[in-house]
Amino acid sequence: MDVFSPVVGAIDLAEKLIGYVKAVKGAERDRLEVSSEVSALKTLLEIMRGRLGNASANDSSDDISNRVVKTGIEGSLGTCYGALKSAVDRLENLAPNVPNTREQFRVSVAEWLKNAKWPFHQGEIKTLLTSIERLKSLLSLALQTSLMEFIERARDELATTGRNVEDIKAAILLLEANQRGV
């Protein structure tokens, strides 16, 4: 099951939303809260993207993708993506006659939004923030689980390495004893 693409898509939307929220006028406290929460979510998504990329490169069967699905992040990611997309669309729809290319579109919308007023009501903000909070919690849990499993594997490998070193020491002592004729 591909969870990498929705993570990348959510990162793009978060980045776009942060830019738009900073550009629009009014509701300073609401904009600061949304921007702060979306920035924190974006950071977690970027960490998740890195972990998913590493898991894909290692091609292990018990990688983080499985934990993502097991912890229900996939559904929450879809919900959060929808909330981010809805917010971005709402802000983009405030800008009339925007250019066709992606970069011109971003610049044009951001410039236009500098003169626009904050279009969201308290209920909409609460819904968006609740969705973001839930996904942040689930992402944090998945990343913590991944880290704990990594630590356990490292500890097991270290124990195995320690036993191997002891075996090598014993073999060296035996060889030295054989060379001395003992």
Side-chain angles (χ1 to χ4, degrees):
M1 194 164 281
D2 178 33
V3 248
F4 190 77
S5 297
V7 168
V8 171
I11 291 170
D12 289 344
L13 281 174
E15 189 173 290
K16 191 184 279 192
L17 183 58
I18 291 166
Y20 291 170
V21 166
K22 287 180 180 178
V24 83
K25 299 273 187 239
E28 299 294 323
R29 196 182 106 232
D30 289 346
R31 289 187 312 114
L32 180 62
E33 187 175 11
V34 169
S35 180
S36 174
E37 290 298 321
V38 174
S39 293
L41 172 64
K42 182 177 171 260
T43 299
L44 283 171
L45 288 166
E46 288 170 340
I47 293 168
M48 182 63 72
R49 177 182 58 191
R51 294 290 298 134
L52 288 168
N54 289 341
S56 296
N58 295 336
D59 198 35
S60 63
S61 60
D62 66 59
D63 65 17
I64 195 166
S65 295
N66 290 332
R67 284 186 297 287
V68 165
V69 173
K70 286 177 189 172
T71 56
I73 289 176
E74 188 178 33
S76 295
L77 187 57
T79 301
C80 188
Y81 181 91
L84 290 172
K85 179 84 172 112
S86 175
V88 165
D89 288 348
R90 180 99 177 261
L91 288 166
E92 287 178 348
N93 287 335
L94 293 173
N97 304 322
V98 293
N100 293 337
T101 69
R102 185 175 183 195
E103 193 53 41
Q104 287 176 330
F105 181 76
R106 272 191 174 164
V107 170
S108 175
V109 171
E111 284 298 315
W112 196 88
L113 286 173
K114 287 180 182 176
N115 298 315
K117 291 191 120 196
W118 184 244
F120 299 102
H121 302 289
Q122 201 59 39
E124 294 170 308
I125 294 167
K126 185 177 179 182
T127 300
L128 175 64
L129 293 176
T130 299
S131 176
I132 289 170
E133 261 317 304
R134 182 164 192 259
L135 184 58
K136 282 176 24 188
S137 295
L138 288 170
L139 286 171
S140 293
L141 287 172
L143 291 168
Q144 286 173 348
T145 300
S146 174
L147 179 60
M148 291 304 295
E149 289 175 1
F150 173 78
I151 290 170
E152 287 175 15
R153 278 195 309 269
R155 186 186 63 216
D156 292 345
E157 288 177 17
L158 187 58
T160 300
T161 301
R163 286 190 298 272
N164 290 343
V165 168
E166 292 302 318
D167 291 345
I168 292 170
K169 282 182 186 176
I172 290 172
L173 290 174
L174 185 62
L175 282 172
E176 287 175 346
N178 283 340
Q179 285 179 345
R180 285 189 298 240
V182 175

